[in-house]
Amino acid sequence: MGLEKLHPFDAGKWGKVINFLKEEKLIADDLVVQAREATDEDLLVVHTRRYLNRLKWSFVVATITEIPPVAFLPNFVVQRKVLRPLRTQTGGTIMAGKLAVDRGWAINVGGGFHHCSSDKGGGFCAYADITLAIKFLFERVPGVSKATIIDLDAHQGNGHERDFMDDPRVYIMDAYNRYIYPGDGFAKRAIKRKVELEWGTEDTEYLQKVHTHVEGALNEFKPDILVYNAGTDILDGDPLGGLAISPQGIVKRDEVVFRAARRRRIPVLMVTSGGYQKRTARIIADSILNLHSLGLIHGQLAARGAAHPSLEQMVRDSAKDLGNLSLQ
């Protein structure tokens, strides 16, 4: 109904990324695993019933998404048009976690709702998909007992930080603009490697810090899964991020993370998180193309002794696997 025009986020970003990748012949419809909507039962693995009940009030969703007119819509419309797409992205992150463990890497073109915790949404984030993906792996995938979150969105990831406070199984590295939302001092206690950035930080300083701290984080703690929150709101000119990273800097940043994980045979789950300019979709697509051209995302990354299938075979096998993976 045009409400997306009232929000700084480009609601068409994810579809544009897929279309760019199709145009470049990297993927086709049969090479994309379709996300399934997370059910209430799935969400209750992390979220409280009280919180999910609160989302049945439109004004609560309006506050979380920061779109005031949503408060005046009937909740069935809010559920269908606002929350269902977010639940589907959340299901995608959970599914991508399993795929990453099985295949060595997975990218959810969406997700990264890092301001939402088990009992509180905010900052456009209604579901805690990062926490959910990790909890599902811990509880339902044998051999996964430790996780590292590398959060490189321009904003502090206070949602997953609150959820994993004092949890020794989860190591969090977070690099963010120290002056912007959310400024959650309590949540910062959960960060094992904190990289606070100044206004207008540019490529050279940023990439040096990312490289140093990603290497340091993965040397300090050896996880069974790496969840990479790859927000593009670090882009120069972003109205909310306040940093000044070039498109090429973003592509290089993603490469640094994937190279570090690949060398150590750590499965990577990437989510795309924030990014509030129209050109971010093209940058995300270019980054994925770069990762593919460098051999960082294809069968050769498969971990745990897996064979090296083609991308097409990986997707076909994954679709079969996920048919046996009950999100319930």
Side-chain angles (χ1 to χ4, degrees):
M1 295 183 292
L3 286 174
E4 67 275 6
K5 294 181 174 61
L6 301 177
H7 195 278
F9 199 88
D10 177 9
K13 179 172 83 169
W14 307 288
K16 291 173 186 173
V17 173
I18 293 293
N19 288 334
F20 286 137
L21 295 176
K22 287 179 179 177
E23 288 171 9
E24 299 288 344
K25 305 288 192 276
L26 179 67
I27 61 170
D29 286 336
D30 61 346
L31 296 181
V32 178
V33 177
Q34 296 295 327
R36 295 205 298 267
E37 180 184 353
T39 66
D40 267 15
E41 194 172 350
D42 300 326
L43 297 170
L44 285 167
V45 169
V46 166
H47 289 293
T48 62
R49 172 58 71 183
R50 177 177 172 274
Y51 174 70
L52 295 182
N53 285 339
R54 290 187 69 228
L55 295 179
K56 295 175 182 176
W57 295 90
S58 296
F59 77 90
V60 172
V61 180
T63 302
I64 291 170
T65 59
E66 300 184 21
I67 308 175
V70 165
F72 301 103
L73 295 176
N75 192 257
F76 76 89
V77 174
V78 173
Q79 292 292 329
R80 188 167 68 240
K81 295 296 187 181
V82 179
L83 293 179
R84 182 185 291 168
L86 299 181
R87 286 193 295 268
T88 302
Q89 289 189 55
T90 297
T93 302
I94 295 169
M95 293 166 69
K98 174 67 161 58
L99 287 173
V101 170
D102 288 347
R103 309 295 172 190
W105 64 273
I107 298 171
N108 182 16
V109 183
F113 306 134
H114 65 157
H115 297 307
C116 187
S117 62
S118 62
D119 60 357
K120 186 178 181 183
F124 320 149
C125 303
Y127 301 108
D129 67 319
I130 292 174
T131 305
L132 278 158
I134 292 172
K135 287 284 181 74
F136 263 83
L137 290 175
F138 283 172
E139 294 178 12
R140 305 181 190 198
V141 178
V144 179
S145 60
K146 296 188 293 182
T148 289
I149 300 169
I150 292 181
D151 194 333
L152 301 185
D153 186 275
H155 300 81
Q156 176 199 351
N158 61 321
H160 57 72
E161 288 161 8
R162 284 177 171 264
D163 285 335
F164 291 117
M165 184 74 66
D166 300 322
D167 189 332
R169 301 172 299 173
V170 180
Y171 182 106
I172 299 173
M173 169 187 159
D174 199 349
Y176 53 87
N177 183 335
R178 67 193 304 165
Y179 300 109
I180 61 174
Y181 177 91
D184 189 334
F186 175 76
K188 288 179 184 180
R189 291 168 43 195
I191 304 172
K192 301 293 195 301
R193 190 168 282 259
K194 181 169 57 179
V195 186
E196 295 193 320
L197 303 169
E198 299 294 323
W199 286 108
T201 298
E202 296 181 349
D203 286 20
T204 302
E205 177 187 353
Y206 179 76
L207 290 171
Q208 184 271 323
K209 287 184 174 178
V210 167
H211 181 270
T212 298
H213 290 288
V214 167
E215 290 290 331
L218 295 179
N219 286 338
E220 206 170 294
F221 185 86
K222 179 63 188 296
D224 302 306
I225 182 73
L226 167 59
V227 180
Y228 172 37
N229 196 46
T232 47
D233 51 0
I234 64 171
L235 181 63
D236 188 19
D238 189 278
L240 302 182
L243 303 177
I245 309 306
S246 70
Q248 296 77 17
I250 291 174
V251 170
K252 185 64 179 177
R253 174 199 68 173
D254 296 349
E255 181 185 325
V256 166
V257 175
F258 271 78
R259 279 193 188 280
R262 188 196 196 289
R263 279 202 312 276
R264 296 168 173 84
R265 310 295 290 171
I266 301 169
V268 186
L269 160 58
M270 171 176 155
V271 289
T272 58
S273 203
Y276 307 97
Q277 298 183 75
K278 297 289 186 185
R279 57 189 178 134
T280 59
R282 179 74 250 185
I283 296 167
I284 293 168
D286 285 344
S287 180
I288 293 171
L289 289 165
N290 180 61
L291 294 173
H292 184 263
S293 72
L294 294 171
L296 296 172
I297 55 168
H298 57 56
Q300 289 183 2
L301 188 61
R304 296 171 182 259
H308 294 170
S310 67
L311 182 59
E312 182 174 6
Q313 187 61 48
M314 286 172 62
V315 172
R316 286 177 181 160
D317 291 348
S318 298
K320 283 189 241 175
D321 291 348
L322 289 168
N324 300 322
L325 172 65
S326 171
L327 285 181
Q328 287 76 33

